[in-house]
């Protein structure tokens, strides 16, 4: 599958295309409705659901939505979106799709034989042009410099520039012949530029590593810094995977180099507050506005999940540095993340099947009140992306359990209390919840041997030995039928016919 996705930025120096009212409609928030059929479909042997995936703006993590398929091969999914987003849809074979707000998009999914898209005039036009261009671009030649780690810098830059020039000529010729929609024309320009820059960033990683050299000690390729000055946010393309991958890579270099310099010159002795402030100050010194705000936001996002800071220190740093963020959309999301810290009135309201407690006892003492039943134990953390991906699926899964015989028990580790409470409240998560101390977290791994995140286990009544089991969903977001069958055999389900 080609790794060709929309980029999130407009390069102002390159774009001369004006937006029409029709284009502006692509940027309005609203509901996207996907309906369609899988052809051919055999319910006995084919997958039970398609997966729609795209990347989250701030975290860079992939967001996945499960789209169940009925016995006739039909599916339906509704999504609230801020603006048009490029995504993948599929099961074993994935295809590009543009999720356009306020549109009803009809699909025929044919696996490796392709995807048919129909709907409004703009929906059909965009998808027809997108897929035709992707195919033509692939046939035109490679977009990447392969084996870059074996090339010297001059040879690498020459090969990279040749690819960029060839792709630019191809795009302009294709645009003259086919008159691409302005939305896709801007995407294609961005795609060329960001693949070019991303490979410069990759070269700085792979080349030093091939020579057993620390990448942070090597300068970026020539003109890299100057080329970053072409960056400028454009609200049309903020949720694109390419930009996030690029920023995450750049942030990794930024993080490693800043910490390396701090340790190298013995400016810190492991003080978390000093380290976080140093990262924020280093981000603030970045000349390019786009990268400066992106690095600030990424640092503040990671800081929200850090247990090395007190809530007072975390809030003080947040209030000080958020003042340097001007991008309204990103600032709005950041403020929502920090609301549990800034608004002390926020507190989760327990449902009837929920209890929340700060753990204070020895881990075995903590488990004791629940030992008259089977315990379905979940070890997780707010900082853990796979854990957070599971959270929305738990309530439907737990509703199948017989709570007279099984107790869902969620043990969170290394998670700030306000953030932990906020996640439980946001999802109205059933079960008993405890935020573990550092000692209890050590016991969880050392004595119960649950060291990964997320981890899931069944503990029989009165027992201490546990059986490691799965979570509520499989890798494709489908219900974990194997776990349900195991619980059914133990008589732990409300409907044991499951």
């Amino acid at each position: 599958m080609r790794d060709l996705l929309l980029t999130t930025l407009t390069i102002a120096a390159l774009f001369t295309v004006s937006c029409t009212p029709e284009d502006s409609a692509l940027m309005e928030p609203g509901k996207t409705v996907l309906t369609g059929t899988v052809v051919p479909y055999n319910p006995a042997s084919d997958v039970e659901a398609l997966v729609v995936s795209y990347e989250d703006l701030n975290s860079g993590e992939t967001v996945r939505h499960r789209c169940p398929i009925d016995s006739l091969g039909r599916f339906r999914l509704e999504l609230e979106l801020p603006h048009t987003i490029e995504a993948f849809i599929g099961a074993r074979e994935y295809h590009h799709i543009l999720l356009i707000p306020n549109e009803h998009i009809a699909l025929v999914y044919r696996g490796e034989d392709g995807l048919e898209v129909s709907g409004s005039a703009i929906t059909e036009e965009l998808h027809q042009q997108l897929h035709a261009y992707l195919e033509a671009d692939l046939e035109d030649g490679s977009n990447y410099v392969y084996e870059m780690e074996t090339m010297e810098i001059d040879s690498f830059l020459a090969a990279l520039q040749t690819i960029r020039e060839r792709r630019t000529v191809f795009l302009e010729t294709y645009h003259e012949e086919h008159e691409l929609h302005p939305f896709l024309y801007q995407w294609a320009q961005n795609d060329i530029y960001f693949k070019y820059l991303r490979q410069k960033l990759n070269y700085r990683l792979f080349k030093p590593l091939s020579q057993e050299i620390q990448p942070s000690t090597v300068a970026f390729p020539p003109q890299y810094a100057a080329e970053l000055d072409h960056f400028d946010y454009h609200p049309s393309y903020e949720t694109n995977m390419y930009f996030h991958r690029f920023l995450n890579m750049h942030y990794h270099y930024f993080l490693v180099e800043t910490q390396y310099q701090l340790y190298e010159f013995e400016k810190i002795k492991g003080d978390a507050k000093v380290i976080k402030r140093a990262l924020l100050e280093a981000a603030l010194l970045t000349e390019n506005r786009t990268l400066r705000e992106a690095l600030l936001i990424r640092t503040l996002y990671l800081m929200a999940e850090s247990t090395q800071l007190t809530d007072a220190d975390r809030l003080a740093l947040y209030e000080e540095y958020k003042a340097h963020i001007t991008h309204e959309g990103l600032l709005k999301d950041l403020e929502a993340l920090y609301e549990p810290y800034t608004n002390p009135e926020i507190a989760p309201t327990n449902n009837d099947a929920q209890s929340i407690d700060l753990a204070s006892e020895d881990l075995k003492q903590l488990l004791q009140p629940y030992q008259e039943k089977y315990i379905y134990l979940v070890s997780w953390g707010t900082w853990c992306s796979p854990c957070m991906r599971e959270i929305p699926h738990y309530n439907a899964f737990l509703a199948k359990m017989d709570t007279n015989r099984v107790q869902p028990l969620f043990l969170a580790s290394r998670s700030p209390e306000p953030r932990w409470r906020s996640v439980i409240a946001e999802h109205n998560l059933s079960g008993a919840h405890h935020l573990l101390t550092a000692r209890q977290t050590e016991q969880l791994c050392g004595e119960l041997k649950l060291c990964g995140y997320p981890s899931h286990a069944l503990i029989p009544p009165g027992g201490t030995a546990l059986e490691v089991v799965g979570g509520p969903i499989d890798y494709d977001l489908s219900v974990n039928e194997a776990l349900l069958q195991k619980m059914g055999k133990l008589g732990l389900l409300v409907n044991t016919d499951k």
Side-chain angles (χ1 to χ4, degrees), residues 7 33 55 97 106 159 162 164 169 205 215 221-222 225 246 251 320-321 331 333 360 366 439 448 456 469 489 493:
T7 56
V33 180
E55 263 195 32
I97 184 173
T162 298
R164 181 184 178 187
V169 171
L205 173 65
F246 182 77
Y251 183 81
E320 179 179 351
Y321 287 93
L331 185 58
D333 290 340
S360 57
L366 186 151
R439 178 171 177 270
L448 297 186
H456 317 81
V469 294
K489 292 178 181 178
L493 301 182

Side-chain angles (χ1 to χ4, degrees), residues 120-277:
S120 69
I122 186 65
T123 292
E124 294 187 2
E125 177 188 1
L126 284 174
H127 283 90
Q128 288 172 1
Q129 289 195 0
L130 172 66
H131 293 140
Y133 178 82
L134 287 173
E135 184 176 350
D137 184 44
L138 179 63
E139 292 177 353
D140 184 62
S142 173
N143 298 333
Y144 298 96
V145 178
Y146 294 103
E147 299 182 353
M148 62 176 67
E149 66 273 11
T150 66
M151 304 173 70
E152 296 303 319
I153 183 66
D154 291 341
S155 299
F156 165 72
L157 291 176
L160 185 61
Q161 184 62 26
T162 298
I163 290 175
R164 181 184 178 187
E165 291 174 355
R166 173 182 57 76
R167 294 195 69 204
T168 300
V169 171
F170 170 77
L171 170 61
E172 296 305 321
T173 302
Y174 190 93
H175 182 51
E176 289 178 6
E177 295 176 354
H178 299 87
E179 195 174 351
L180 286 171
H181 187 282
F183 183 95
L184 292 180
Y185 182 51
Q186 290 184 353
W187 153 67
Q189 289 176 310
N190 281 336
D191 180 68
I192 293 170
Y193 194 68
F194 286 104
K195 281 186 176 174
Y196 167 78
L197 280 182
R198 190 179 73 168
Q199 290 181 84
K200 280 195 170 185
L201 199 58
N202 282 339
Y203 182 83
R204 185 172 180 256
L205 173 65
F206 297 135
K207 181 65 175 180
L209 288 179
S210 70
Q211 300 174 344
E212 298 184 351
I213 298 173
Q214 174 63 33
S216 60
T217 64
V218 180
F220 282 100
Q223 301 301 312
Y224 176 79
E227 288 164 336
L228 294 182
D229 290 334
H230 288 295
F231 284 3
D232 190 20
Y233 271 116
H234 190 292
S236 307
Y237 310 105
E238 287 177 344
T239 57
N240 194 281
M241 188 180 296
Y242 253 158
F243 178 55
H244 292 299
R245 285 180 175 173
F246 182 77
L247 273 188
N248 285 340
M249 292 172 69
H250 192 97
Y251 183 81
H252 174 73
Y253 287 120
F254 160 78
L255 184 67
V256 169
E257 290 176 15
T258 303
Q259 291 181 329
Y260 174 80
Q261 291 171 7
L262 290 171
Y263 285 109
E264 180 77 6
F265 296 105
E266 298 185 351
K267 294 181 180 178
I268 58 172
K269 298 294 183 181
D271 187 314
K273 184 178 179 181
V274 173
I275 294 173
K276 301 303 183 189
R277 181 179 289 279

Side-chain angles (χ1 to χ4, degrees), residues 207-409:
K207 181 65 175 180
L209 288 179
S210 70
Q211 300 174 344
E212 298 184 351
I213 298 173
Q214 174 63 33
S216 60
T217 64
V218 180
F220 282 100
Q223 301 301 312
Y224 176 79
E227 288 164 336
L228 294 182
D229 290 334
H230 288 295
F231 284 3
D232 190 20
Y233 271 116
H234 190 292
S236 307
Y237 310 105
E238 287 177 344
T239 57
N240 194 281
M241 188 180 296
Y242 253 158
F243 178 55
H244 292 299
R245 285 180 175 173
F246 182 77
L247 273 188
N248 285 340
M249 292 172 69
H250 192 97
Y251 183 81
H252 174 73
Y253 287 120
F254 160 78
L255 184 67
V256 169
E257 290 176 15
T258 303
Q259 291 181 329
Y260 174 80
Q261 291 171 7
L262 290 171
Y263 285 109
E264 180 77 6
F265 296 105
E266 298 185 351
K267 294 181 180 178
I268 58 172
K269 298 294 183 181
D271 187 314
K273 184 178 179 181
V274 173
I275 294 173
K276 301 303 183 189
R277 181 179 289 279
L279 289 171
L280 291 166
E281 281 296 314
L284 199 58
L285 291 174
T286 303
E287 292 184 5
N288 177 265
R289 179 182 64 85
T290 297
L291 277 179
R292 180 174 63 251
E293 295 196 10
L295 295 174
L296 282 171
I297 287 168
R298 190 76 176 118
T299 303
L300 289 170
Y301 255 76
L302 294 177
M303 202 172 73
E305 304 291 358
S306 173
T307 56
Q308 297 175 324
L309 293 171
T310 66
D311 287 347
D313 287 343
R314 185 192 339 268
L315 185 58
L317 289 171
Y318 163 72
E319 294 289 355
E320 179 179 351
Y321 287 93
K322 81 163 186 176
H324 299 283
I325 300 170
T326 61
H327 190 277
E328 293 182 1
L330 298 180
L331 185 58
K332 180 180 179 182
D333 290 340
L334 190 66
E335 288 173 341
L337 181 68
Y338 272 83
E339 191 172 9
Y341 303 101
T342 59
N343 186 355
E345 297 181 358
I346 293 181
T349 301
N350 297 4
N351 62 34
D352 293 338
Q354 181 186 76
S355 63
I356 303 174
D357 186 29
L358 296 176
S360 57
E361 309 96 340
D362 177 88
L363 185 60
K364 291 182 179 179
Q365 291 177 320
L366 186 151
L367 296 176
Q368 191 171 3
Y370 308 109
Q371 289 188 333
E372 293 182 0
K373 304 177 182 180
Y374 275 89
I375 298 174
Y376 178 60
L377 190 153
V378 179
S379 172
W380 70 293
T382 60
W383 46 269
C384 163
S385 297
C387 303
M388 296 302 294
R389 194 175 300 135
E390 288 185 349
I391 290 294
H393 301 274
Y394 270 111
N395 277 350
F397 185 78
L398 298 180
K400 301 176 184 293
M401 296 185 187
D402 183 353
T403 54
N404 292 317
R405 299 207 61 207
V406 60
Q407 172 64 58
L409 177 61

Side-chain angles (χ1 to χ4, degrees), residues 6-34:
L6 290 172
T7 56
T8 57
L9 301 175
T10 296
I11 305 165
L14 299 180
F15 292 159
T16 57
V17 181
S18 60
C19 288
T20 66
E22 183 181 57
D23 304 328
S24 300
L26 298 173
M27 308 314 145
E28 297 295 327
K31 179 185 292 185
T32 299
V33 180
L34 297 177

